[in-house]
Amino acid sequence: HRQPAHGLALPHSRRARPGLQPGDVLLSVNGQALDPEHLPEVAEQLKSNPRAVIAYRRDGQVRTVTLGTGSP
């Protein structure tokens, strides 16, 4: 399984999160890039505020979805 250059690919499973599908590539959470150097910042941000606006790529198009509660 090949990881994208930037972002994280969702595994191909039957239990996808609402709005996201297997194969979607996660690009950012609340405007913070999902790459190895930013993951600790994103994780810390989600501890204090579990609502997230997630940007992802599907079929070459960038889309967004809001998950959780609180304010991003």
Side-chain angles (χ1 to χ4, degrees), residues 30 45-46 48-52 66-72:
N30 296 335
Q45 187 181 75
L46 292 174
S48 63
N49 185 1
R51 183 174 179 192
T66 302
L67 301 174
T69 60
S71 60

Side-chain angles (χ1 to χ4, degrees), residues 10-13 16-25 56 58-59 63:
L10 289 180
H12 293 276
S13 72
R17 299 270 184 225
L20 297 173
Q21 297 178 6
D24 288 349
V25 177
Y56 62 99
R58 178 186 299 156
D59 299 326
R63 306 169 188 215

